[in-house]
Amino acid sequence: MGRVTSDTTATDAAAQHAPEPPGAPPVWQRRLRRFGLPVRPQTDVRTRLVPSFPEPSGRLWAVFGAGPEAAARLTRWSAWAGPLLVALFAGVLRFWNLGSPRKVIFDETYYPKDAWSLLQYGYEGTWAKNANDALVGHPPELLLSPEHSYVVHPPMGKWLIALGEGVFGMNPFGWRFMVALLGTLSVLLICRIGRRLLRSTALGCLAGALLAVDGLHFVMSRTALLDLIVMFWVVAAFGCLLVDRDRTRARLAAALPVGPDGLARPDESVGDRLRLGWRPWRIAAGLCLGLSAATKWNGLYYLAAFALMAVLWDVAARRTAGARRPFRSALRRDVLPAFGATVVVAVATYLASWSGWIATKGGYYRDWATTPEGRTGAWVWVPDWLRSLWHYQTEVYSFHTGLTTPHAYQSNPWSWLVLGRPVSYFYEDPKAGQDGCTVAEGCAREVLALGTPLLWWAACFALLYVLYRWLFQRDWRAGAILCAVAAGYLPWFLYQERTIFLFYAVVFVPFLCLALAMMIGAIVGPPGSTERRRTIGAVGAGVLVLLIAWNFIYFYPLYTGMPIPKSAWHHRMWFDTWV
């Protein structure tokens, strides 16, 4: 060993304080590698900005005798053919016997009737107390009067329900039609979103298939409630933001200089100064988020969460492109346009959804601003309709925050992910010979808003997996899924005293399915795994998916109100809290 001199000591000290080479991982990553954090190979900046889709293998099509060209063509078509087939499967499930039960079930006592009233008057009128029985009578009667009624949800979702009623009439099929259609389309959206997010057509279709066989999503797709409509617009907004993310990052990548080796180089001027220009997909996301909030107010949480997430995506894109101060660059060039494209567009959409109430004079609180109470205060210069609408919103807010009336099926959000207390929408116990009951012991007919248990319980582990991916592997896809789940789930913990129900969770069910698809992809094994590893992983993943499908089939009678023997019904009540 050589003798340590002052020169070598100075050299070592200089090495310790020397600037890190470009692209070197941060100190915290180098330290975590001691505990198993995988080393990511340095790739072209353009590839990091917009990862390409892996080139799919044609081996599957070759098994069926397709040549190389035909296999390549079929692989390209599968990007849309696969999602469309999954959506067709989901649609058949949801529309089959959609008018059964021929009853007004659970909260259908509100929204279909309000929707029909909007068609007639532009606002919610008043129905007679026996209106539910009259609607499904022989012949049906519409016991509606133009006297306004007090409603506590915005009108957008009810206008959509009214579209089905306008085409098919005021009957169970008519008022459930649009919800079933949106439920089916949401499966298609998740297939395409999963494909773009996970860069895999197979995993995207798997996420859609899981959503198609989730019991809660299935029941909500066949019931005229508002929560599935909120879910549809949230999923659509998420998809729009994903497309916007890819397109803007591609714009940054195209502006980067290319080195002698043909690879793109990070460039400070591009990362810090490039204007990202017109972003129609972000505006479309703002429109969808406005429509979600105009259906139920919990859509506002998604507006806040997704707007923040989109800006953070811009920060990350600018950092990758070479920005020295990505936060400051995003603040200067992206935040204000993002605010306009999401928040301003969403607020305008929300106001537009009240156009029927604004254009007519019979709605609840419509003329409040002209009363003595409404003529006082500092805001009398604001148009009467806007002051009346604002007063209406404050009254509705007071109602929602003060709703503590006990209900037999209310549940605490702590129990939602494990399906602690599902909601019974409809129950009858026909005797032998009645309503299709053929057994002497009698039957039970129920529509139970219960998620497919094995899917939800597996999703609990999937959430832990994506949390690990986000925290320790800095996987933005996992962070996006977590953001979407958190925006639909965590706010309910602020209302511990409020009367709330498990079916509110339907808004984040699609993102549970994305998390589960991501975990199943990891079970199958990453690219480059050995054949033995992939085989074992594929068998394990296949068993899990088949068990989830079987679980849905097993509970299918409870999702559709089919008559089954009472003993079979009891066997499906796995926990006392499900009764």
Side-chain angles (χ1 to χ4, degrees):
M1 178 181 294
R3 186 164 54 93
V4 177
T5 66
S6 59
D7 291 338
T8 57
T9 304
T11 302
D12 292 343
Q16 291 177 3
H17 294 90
E20 295 180 354
V27 175
W28 69 269
Q29 278 195 21
R30 297 200 296 272
R31 289 176 178 171
L32 281 177
R33 284 174 183 171
R34 303 173 189 172
F35 302 95
L37 181 71
V39 178
R40 292 184 176 181
Q42 295 297 314
T43 58
D44 178 34
V45 178
R46 285 179 178 170
T47 303
R48 289 164 56 198
L49 281 169
V50 188
S52 60
F53 280 85
E55 189 65 29
S57 170
R59 293 168 58 186
L60 174 64
W61 303 113
V63 172
F64 296 99
E69 292 185 6
R73 192 181 307 114
L74 289 169
T75 299
R76 289 195 303 271
W77 290 353
S78 67
W80 272 104
L84 287 172
L85 286 174
V86 175
L88 177 63
F89 166 70
V92 170
L93 283 176
R94 280 149 181 76
F95 281 97
W96 184 264
N97 205 19
L98 181 61
S100 177
R102 186 176 169 77
K103 301 280 186 180
V104 177
I105 64 175
F106 199 62
D107 278 358
E108 285 187 341
T109 191
Y110 302 117
Y111 311 123
K113 292 188 293 185
D114 287 344
W116 184 262
S117 179
L118 288 174
L119 279 179
Q120 308 308 310
Y121 309 126
Y123 62 90
E124 293 86 347
T126 300
W127 292 78
K129 289 185 178 180
N130 60 333
N132 289 355
D133 294 332
L135 282 175
V136 294
H138 299 281
E141 296 182 77
L142 303 175
L143 306 181
L144 172 65
S145 72
E147 179 66 25
H148 58 225
S149 63
Y150 180 55
V151 294
V152 294
H153 291 299
M156 188 63 236
K158 290 169 280 188
W159 277 114
L160 288 173
I161 293 172
L163 290 178
E165 295 173 342
V167 175
F168 299 103
M170 186 58 174
N171 55 68
F173 183 87
W175 66 61
R176 294 170 189 160
F177 175 82
M178 283 302 297
V179 184
L181 178 62
L182 295 181
T184 302
L185 291 177
S186 68
V187 172
L188 175 62
L189 287 177
I190 284 298
C191 289
R192 293 290 297 175
I193 286 170
R195 180 180 183 274
R196 182 175 290 270
L197 184 71
L198 304 177
R199 288 300 195 260
S200 167
T201 300
L203 291 181
C205 289
L206 174 61
L210 291 171
L211 186 61
V213 297
D214 174 64
L216 182 61
H217 186 275
F218 177 73
V219 170
M220 296 298 288
S221 297
R222 293 169 53 88
T223 312
L225 272 63
L226 301 179
D227 299 84
L228 185 124
I229 301 174
V230 176
M231 179 275 304
F232 173 81
W233 293 120
V234 165
V235 168
F238 188 82
C240 290
L241 289 175
L242 276 181
V243 177
D244 173 75
R245 181 183 187 274
D246 280 354
R247 293 198 171 193
T248 53
R249 290 170 76 91
R251 195 173 300 159
L252 280 168
L256 292 174
V258 178
D261 55 1
L263 299 180
R265 305 293 188 191
D267 185 85
E268 180 181 339
S269 62
V270 172
D272 275 325
R273 299 183 182 88
L274 183 69
R275 294 187 181 276
L276 297 177
W278 173 250
R279 301 174 70 169
W281 284 100
R282 180 169 281 185
I283 295 173
L287 175 65
C288 292
L289 291 168
L291 291 171
S292 71
T295 301
K296 285 186 79 172
W297 279 3
N298 55 320
L300 292 172
Y301 293 112
Y302 275 99
L303 173 61
F306 282 3
L308 177 60
M309 180 179 70
V311 170
L312 292 178
W313 283 351
D314 287 345
V315 172
R318 290 188 178 277
R319 178 188 292 116
T320 303
R324 294 187 62 186
R325 298 178 178 85
F327 279 96
R328 189 171 72 176
S329 300
L331 184 64
R332 285 181 174 179
R333 306 194 182 279
D334 302 324
V335 169
L336 189 59
F339 181 83
T342 53
V343 177
V344 174
V345 170
V347 171
T349 303
Y350 183 85
L351 288 176
S353 73
W354 286 89
S355 57
W357 182 89
I358 295 168
T360 59
K361 290 295 184 181
Y364 205 87
Y365 281 133
R366 177 60 184 84
D367 296 323
W368 174 85
T370 62
T371 65
E373 181 186 0
R375 292 195 186 102
T376 61
W379 300 95
V380 292
W381 56 272
V382 175
D384 288 351
W385 67 266
L386 187 55
R387 286 190 292 124
S388 295
L389 181 61
W390 178 257
H391 178 72
Y392 197 172
Q393 308 307 296
T394 59
E395 292 296 311
V396 169
Y397 178 78
S398 298
F399 169 85
H400 283 305
T401 55
L403 182 60
T404 57
T405 305
H407 193 284
Y409 290 104
Q410 71 182 69
S411 59
N412 192 288
W414 286 107
S415 70
W416 287 359
L417 290 179
V418 294
L419 302 174
R421 183 59 171 165
V423 182
S424 180
Y425 287 175
F426 166 80
Y427 181 85
E428 286 183 349
D429 52 353
K431 308 300 181 185
Q434 299 177 351
D435 293 335
C437 182
T438 59
V439 293
E441 64 175 302
C443 294
R445 295 184 64 202
E446 184 170 26
V447 176
L448 186 66
L450 170 72
T452 303
L454 291 185
L455 190 156
W456 281 62
W457 298 339
C460 292
F461 293 97
L463 287 177
L464 294 176
Y465 170 71
V466 296
L467 181 63
Y468 158 77
R469 290 288 294 260
W470 180 54
L471 289 177
F472 295 104
Q473 297 194 3
R474 301 184 70 187
D475 192 328
W476 71 270
R477 304 169 302 170
I481 293 171
L482 287 171
C483 175
V485 173
Y489 185 34
L490 297 184
W492 293 110
F493 288 92
L494 301 174
Y495 304 100
Q496 293 286 311
E497 302 302 323
R498 190 186 186 278
T499 307
I500 54 180
F501 302 91
L502 170 66
F503 65 81
Y504 295 172
V506 73
V507 71
F508 62 81
V509 167
F511 303 102
L512 294 182
C513 294
L514 285 172
L516 188 52
M518 191 174 185
M519 185 182 76
I520 289 174
I523 292 173
V524 172
S529 300
T530 64
E531 195 72 22
R532 184 172 183 273
R533 165 69 179 84
R534 296 297 291 264
T535 301
I536 294 173
V539 170
V543 168
L544 175 59
V545 173
L546 289 175
L547 285 174
I548 290 171
W550 163 83
N551 206 210
F552 174 77
I553 295 170
Y554 180 72
F555 284 99
Y556 182 82
L558 298 187
Y559 298 144
T560 57
M562 292 174 55
I564 57 174
K566 278 198 171 180
S567 57
W569 178 83
H570 281 290
H571 290 156
R572 287 165 173 78
M573 295 295 106
W574 286 359
F575 302 99
D576 292 341
T577 56
W578 289 10
V579 179

